[in-house]
Amino acid sequence: MIRFDHVSAAYAAQTPVVRDADFTIEDGEFVAFVGTNGAGKSTTMRLCNGLLKATEGRVLVDGTPTTELRTSELARRVGFLFQNPDRQICCKTVREELAFGFRAQGALTDEARARVDATIERFGFDAAAEPYLLNRGTRQLLALASIVVMEPDTIILDEPTTGLDFRECEKVMGVIADLHARGTTVVMVCHDMEVVADYAERVIVMASGEVVASGPTFEVLRRRDVLERAGLVAPQVVDVSMRLVERHPELAATPIARANTLDEMTAAIEAYVAEAKEDPR
Ligand SMILES: Nc1ncnc2c1ncn2[C@@H]1O[C@H](COP(=O)(O)OP(=O)(O)OP(=O)(O)O)[C@@H](O)[C@H]1O
Ligand SMILES: [Mg+2]
């Protein structure tokens, strides 16, 4: 569990860039942080894993303030994927990269070696490949795998799909969804609202350093006032469904207004259009 207890934070004693953030992320949740550039999302993520200290309030991981947890203990509980994966890659081969976290914590035990092998197999990596020569998507997967291999309870992902093409994005999100299905808590910063709609259970919206909304994904995506304040745009299907419901209030009780996945919403709109074609009024 991650708890932000009225947290503010600043860089180099400047004015706070996160102000009075107060929220809880329960074990097993999949939460997405959204907001425009500079809203304070990455700063909030850095506070979660102790890379940055709060100037006011407390960040607690499983009930203990991050200031009282040793870095290694915090790293064991909370894995962190940086906004730029290349900041995370430092070894000469894929195998060494995956073993890096274990070596940093002490020694590469037999169990750790087995986990590295299993991860290579699971991700389909070439163990001897040189990380910097891999394509962007594979480098992102490697950075993700180097966290997954440590089996943290929580993973924090700062824009895991930015710069990836559709296929690579699907691959990365597939791995993340799989981790979540196995019980890992997932906290993800993401600019792609379709990815957010497809994967996150809850959305926390940030604007100018403040948390301005938090709630089930589709409830938040339907809040035009919140999205406007935060400079965000809902996925197009959600926008179409809301326009339809505004023009035809009788649709408010149908899946067009109530669906909680993009697929369900699209299917409901398609069915509505098909019916309207058959029965033009
Ligand atoms: N290392 C730093 N030193 C000083 N100021 C910083 C630093 N990192 C971020 N900031 C400032 O803090 C504010 C919040 O930045 P942050 O990176 O948390 O935003 P963000 O929501 O992650 O934005 P983006 O979507 O562009 O990644 C911005 O005004 C930014 O310029
Ligand atoms: Mg950021």
mmCIF file with all atom_site columns, all heavy atoms in Angstrom, residues 42 83 158-159, ligand 2:
data_model
loop_
_atom_site.group_PDB
_atom_site.id
_atom_site.type_symbol
_atom_site.label_atom_id
_atom_site.label_alt_id
_atom_site.label_comp_id
_atom_site.label_asym_id
_atom_site.label_entity_id
_atom_site.label_seq_id
_atom_site.pdbx_PDB_ins_code
_atom_site.Cartn_x
_atom_site.Cartn_y
_atom_site.Cartn_z
_atom_site.occupancy
_atom_site.B_iso_or_equiv
_atom_site.pdbx_formal_charge
_atom_site.auth_seq_id
_atom_site.auth_comp_id
_atom_site.auth_asym_id
_atom_site.auth_atom_id
_atom_site.pdbx_PDB_model_num
ATOM   1  N  N   . SER A 1 42  ? 5.664  12.811 -12.701 1.00 0.00 ? 42  SER A N   1
ATOM   2  C  CA  . SER A 1 42  ? 6.954  12.134 -12.454 1.00 0.00 ? 42  SER A CA  1
ATOM   3  C  C   . SER A 1 42  ? 7.466  12.464 -11.057 1.00 0.00 ? 42  SER A C   1
ATOM   4  O  O   . SER A 1 42  ? 8.041  11.603 -10.379 1.00 0.00 ? 42  SER A O   1
ATOM   5  C  CB  . SER A 1 42  ? 7.988  12.561 -13.499 1.00 0.00 ? 42  SER A CB  1
ATOM   6  O  OG  . SER A 1 42  ? 7.624  12.090 -14.769 1.00 0.00 ? 42  SER A OG  1
ATOM   7  N  N   . GLN A 1 83  ? 11.074 7.371  -16.904 1.00 0.00 ? 83  GLN A N   1
ATOM   8  C  CA  . GLN A 1 83  ? 10.443 7.908  -18.104 1.00 0.00 ? 83  GLN A CA  1
ATOM   9  C  C   . GLN A 1 83  ? 11.291 7.559  -19.336 1.00 0.00 ? 83  GLN A C   1
ATOM   10 O  O   . GLN A 1 83  ? 10.754 7.270  -20.384 1.00 0.00 ? 83  GLN A O   1
ATOM   11 C  CB  . GLN A 1 83  ? 10.289 9.430  -17.958 1.00 0.00 ? 83  GLN A CB  1
ATOM   12 C  CG  . GLN A 1 83  ? 9.329  10.042 -18.931 1.00 0.00 ? 83  GLN A CG  1
ATOM   13 C  CD  . GLN A 1 83  ? 8.784  11.392 -18.474 1.00 0.00 ? 83  GLN A CD  1
ATOM   14 O  OE1 . GLN A 1 83  ? 9.010  11.817 -17.342 1.00 0.00 ? 83  GLN A OE1 1
ATOM   15 N  NE2 . GLN A 1 83  ? 8.080  12.063 -19.346 1.00 0.00 ? 83  GLN A NE2 1
ATOM   16 N  N   . ASP A 1 158 ? 6.756  5.084  -15.363 1.00 0.00 ? 158 ASP A N   1
ATOM   17 C  CA  . ASP A 1 158 ? 6.594  6.460  -15.826 1.00 0.00 ? 158 ASP A CA  1
ATOM   18 C  C   . ASP A 1 158 ? 6.578  6.462  -17.352 1.00 0.00 ? 158 ASP A C   1
ATOM   19 O  O   . ASP A 1 158 ? 7.613  6.347  -17.989 1.00 0.00 ? 158 ASP A O   1
ATOM   20 C  CB  . ASP A 1 158 ? 7.725  7.335  -15.276 1.00 0.00 ? 158 ASP A CB  1
ATOM   21 C  CG  . ASP A 1 158 ? 7.366  8.815  -15.354 1.00 0.00 ? 158 ASP A CG  1
ATOM   22 O  OD1 . ASP A 1 158 ? 6.355  9.149  -15.992 1.00 0.00 ? 158 ASP A OD1 1
ATOM   23 O  OD2 . ASP A 1 158 ? 8.107  9.623  -14.754 1.00 0.00 ? 158 ASP A OD2 1
ATOM   24 N  N   . GLU A 1 159 ? 5.398  6.562  -17.907 1.00 0.00 ? 159 GLU A N   1
ATOM   25 C  CA  . GLU A 1 159 ? 5.184  6.559  -19.361 1.00 0.00 ? 159 GLU A CA  1
ATOM   26 C  C   . GLU A 1 159 ? 5.812  5.341  -20.051 1.00 0.00 ? 159 GLU A C   1
ATOM   27 O  O   . GLU A 1 159 ? 6.715  5.484  -20.888 1.00 0.00 ? 159 GLU A O   1
ATOM   28 C  CB  . GLU A 1 159 ? 5.713  7.855  -19.969 1.00 0.00 ? 159 GLU A CB  1
ATOM   29 C  CG  . GLU A 1 159 ? 4.994  9.071  -19.403 1.00 0.00 ? 159 GLU A CG  1
ATOM   30 C  CD  . GLU A 1 159 ? 5.274  10.326 -20.193 1.00 0.00 ? 159 GLU A CD  1
ATOM   31 O  OE1 . GLU A 1 159 ? 5.495  10.212 -21.402 1.00 0.00 ? 159 GLU A OE1 1
ATOM   32 O  OE2 . GLU A 1 159 ? 5.253  11.407 -19.604 1.00 0.00 ? 159 GLU A OE2 1
HETATM 33 MG MG  . MG  B 2 .   ? 6.930  13.054 -16.363 1.00 0.00 ? 2   MG  B MG  1
#
